[in-house]
Amino acid sequence: MVEIQPLKALVYNQEKVDINDVVAPPYDVITNEEQHTLYEKSPYNIVRLILSNAADRYADAKKSFENWQEEDVLVNTKKPAIFYIIQKYTTENGRHVERKGFIARNKIEDFSTKKILPHEYTMGGPKEDRLKLTRACKANFSQIFMVYSDPTMLIEKEIAPKYTSKTPFIDATDDKGVQNLVYIIDDTDDIAKIQKLLEDKTLLIADGHHRYETAMNYSKECDSEDSKYVMSYFTNSEDDNLIIFPTHRIITKFIEPYVLLESVKKYYDIQEFTFVSSNKKDVKEKFLAELEKSNKTRISMGLYMKNVNKFYLLKLKDGVLDLIEAPDVLKKLDLTVLHELIITNELGYTKEEQMSQDGIKYIKQEFEAFDMIDKGTAEASFIMAYPKMQDIKDISAAGYRMPQKSTYFYPKLLSGVAINPLQ
């Protein structure tokens, strides 16, 4: 059984701070420049806790955390609560999206129970960093991103409307233009309905694998009741507003374009989209549309190379999957095919080079994958189609994990909406 509990949360006192000045993206996507900008926004920005720039950043975060509570900048909610969130944004293609979910805490489960499933691999460094911060501050500052399945849409249709018709507790717009509306659910009957709904579900970790495994490790060394739980965000996979963006593969080591093309032709049928400067935008849009259409029935991806005025749509040839030594559930992933056949076999990248991004970059923004080629800072971009949620579910349920940087759940969740103390 999956156990969900409301948060005995600390929140920002909005009589003392402007919420837009104190929230921040998750620590792992904050650049040095963004860290500086967030520092400048407010002396109470959450970045000072999740990513302090002090020499001893864990001790500094602890001191700030304690001071902010003493100054009533951080205060407790009146009652244990669940935080319902609507994130509104517009995609590059002009689609208006409203992703819905809620923040609560869930009992930490070992992966062997199959109640909570990972889908990507983790690395030791980030987990050690987050564990030191958790030990120092005894709190969760950011959420794990969990996905569950509820075709009835109970929360979205029956519970949430009672709250979303009211003024939100938080209305904050991040630096990407995403509006975050937060509503507090503290009615015990509604909380009980949410708990009942999720108790027989399987949860998939969409994002925050390092933070979840950190929470597992912390719970083993700390015997408090609170440490058995971790703050998470939960969203329904049945909602069309849950969009998973791909992470594109960018080759930065020199390679002759037509040498690469000959390697690719061994495994893929190729459709060319030739352009000139005057119609490049239109041709690119057609190419991307055809990529998504093709990938629905056949493993497909795009290729764009430096000094070549063509986009290439790559469609996997019949029988090629037999060349890959991997479980069948992993073979249906476009990234498995790309990494095994092209990046490893043809281009000769070692697993270590791929892990450390030596000569290969993993880029989340589609426009950047094209711009790097146009600006001459990369040799080739493999443009990936949107991942399928069902593939992620199947791989996780079978006990496997996807290649690193396989998925990009957008938008990111703001840190600072709620803090979960672990006293």
Side-chain angles (χ1 to χ4, degrees):
M1 183 178 77
V2 172
E3 185 183 335
I4 302 294
Q5 294 288 343
L7 290 170
K8 297 175 284 189
L10 283 168
V11 296
Y12 275 105
N13 181 351
Q14 295 184 62
E15 293 181 358
K16 293 201 170 189
V17 297
D18 182 337
I19 195 68
N20 285 282
D21 291 339
V22 295
V23 293
Y27 81 100
D28 55 338
V29 299
I30 298 174
T31 64
N32 290 337
E33 182 180 352
E34 288 168 337
Q35 182 189 29
H36 176 74
T37 300
L38 291 166
Y39 256 78
E40 292 296 311
K41 271 190 172 185
S42 170
Y44 301 111
N45 190 284
I46 193 78
V47 76
R48 296 171 184 264
L49 305 184
I50 63 174
L51 199 64
S52 167
N53 64 6
D56 186 343
R57 53 189 178 138
Y58 310 112
D60 183 64
K62 177 183 179 182
K63 181 180 179 182
S64 295
F65 187 41
E66 291 172 348
N67 289 344
W68 297 358
Q69 292 176 72
E70 292 172 1
E71 297 169 25
D72 285 336
V73 171
L74 292 175
V75 294
N76 289 103
T77 51
K78 294 178 182 178
K79 297 164 61 178
I82 285 174
F83 294 75
Y84 188 77
I85 302 177
I86 301 176
Q87 292 176 290
K88 298 183 178 182
Y89 67 99
T90 302
T91 68
E92 290 180 16
N93 299 324
R95 176 182 170 185
H96 298 289
V97 179
E98 294 188 10
R99 191 179 72 191
K100 298 169 281 290
F102 63 92
I103 298 175
R105 59 180 187 148
N106 60 281
K107 192 167 187 180
I108 297 166
E109 299 283 352
D110 190 87
F111 294 141
S112 62
T113 68
K114 303 289 186 181
K115 296 175 185 176
I116 296 175
L117 302 174
H119 83 272
E120 287 188 345
Y121 288 101
T122 58
M123 293 174 283
K127 286 187 285 188
E128 181 62 25
D129 166 56
R130 291 300 95 180
L131 184 56
K132 288 179 179 177
L133 181 63
T134 306
R135 285 171 180 156
C137 297
K138 295 183 172 57
N140 300 142
F141 297 127
S142 305
Q143 305 79 219
I144 317 299
F145 189 136
M146 300 282 197
V147 175
Y148 67 94
S149 174
D150 173 32
T152 71
M153 308 287 282
L154 174 72
I155 297 173
E156 296 86 348
K157 290 181 178 179
E158 295 185 23
I159 298 175
K162 291 188 280 184
Y163 299 88
T164 55
S165 60
K166 303 173 184 176
T167 302
F169 169 64
I170 288 175
D171 183 348
T173 300
D174 67 20
D175 59 357
K176 306 293 185 186
V178 178
Q179 184 182 20
N180 296 261
L181 301 172
V182 183
Y183 304 85
I184 291 182
I185 299 175
D186 57 11
D187 179 85
T188 54
D189 289 340
D190 288 332
I191 290 173
K193 289 177 184 177
I194 294 172
Q195 290 174 314
K196 180 68 175 176
L197 174 69
L198 267 74
E199 68 180 11
D200 64 346
K201 303 295 184 186
T202 297
L203 301 178
L204 173 70
I205 301 176
D207 198 8
H209 289 78
H210 291 95
R211 292 191 290 276
Y212 186 79
E213 292 185 23
T214 295
M216 293 171 70
N217 292 332
Y218 183 73
S219 69
K220 292 172 184 174
E221 66 180 43
C222 181
D223 59 4
S224 72
E225 184 65 20
D226 286 340
S227 70
K228 297 176 183 177
Y229 296 82
V230 65
M231 181 169 65
S232 297
Y233 165 85
F234 305 84
T235 191
N236 189 353
S237 64
E238 306 301 324
D239 189 341
D240 290 339
N241 289 279
L242 176 61
I243 300 176
I244 314 168
F245 288 86
T247 302
H248 310 288
R249 272 41 182 172
I250 316 300
I251 304 301
T252 56
K253 281 184 182 176
F254 174 76
I255 183 168
E256 191 66 45
Y258 294 101
V259 171
L260 175 57
L261 199 59
E262 287 304 310
S263 295
V264 167
K265 284 179 179 178
K266 297 178 186 178
Y267 312 104
Y268 297 89
D269 294 323
I270 296 178
Q271 181 180 350
E272 298 182 2
F273 293 77
T274 304
F275 62 84
V276 293
S277 57
S278 60
N279 71 349
K280 182 177 179 180
K281 183 173 183 261
D282 292 338
V283 173
K284 184 168 78 169
E285 289 179 357
K286 182 180 178 182
F287 156 69
L288 291 172
E290 286 297 317
L291 168 57
E292 293 303 328
K293 180 180 176 182
S294 177
N295 195 55
K296 289 179 180 178
T297 58
R298 183 177 177 185
I299 291 178
S300 302
M301 67 192 72
L303 174 62
Y304 182 41
M305 297 183 289
K306 187 169 71 174
N307 299 326
V308 180
N309 289 345
K310 293 179 182 180
F311 303 115
Y312 296 93
L313 176 56
L314 315 180
K315 304 175 183 180
L316 196 68
K317 293 179 178 180
D318 292 339
V320 168
L321 292 181
D322 295 336
L323 302 175
I324 300 174
E325 292 186 13
D328 288 343
V329 72
L330 286 175
K331 285 184 181 182
K332 63 182 180 179
L333 267 190
D334 52 4
L335 282 176
T336 299
V337 177
L338 174 62
H339 276 267
E340 292 299 320
L341 297 181
I342 304 300
I343 295 173
T344 301
N345 289 355
E346 296 295 329
L347 301 184
Y349 282 82
T350 65
K351 298 297 182 184
E352 291 74 20
E353 287 172 327
Q354 294 173 48
M355 285 288 288
S356 63
Q357 298 190 49
D358 180 7
I360 179 172
K361 301 297 180 188
Y362 304 141
I363 301 296
K364 295 170 181 174
Q365 300 295 342
E366 186 178 274
F367 74 87
E368 190 176 354
F370 287 101
D371 284 353
M372 289 182 72
I373 301 301
D374 293 335
K375 293 175 181 176
T377 57
E379 302 296 315
S381 287
F382 286 97
I383 308 299
M384 312 311 296
Y386 280 61
K388 303 180 183 75
M389 175 56 75
Q390 192 57 51
D391 287 345
I392 300 171
K393 290 179 179 178
D394 292 345
I395 290 167
S396 299
Y400 298 106
R401 302 198 194 188
M402 300 171 73
Q404 68 165 338
K405 305 295 184 184
S406 296
T407 55
Y408 177 38
F409 287 82
Y410 182 85
K412 292 290 186 178
L413 296 164
L414 290 177
S415 296
V417 170
I419 293 171
N420 181 38
L422 299 174
Q423 304 296 343

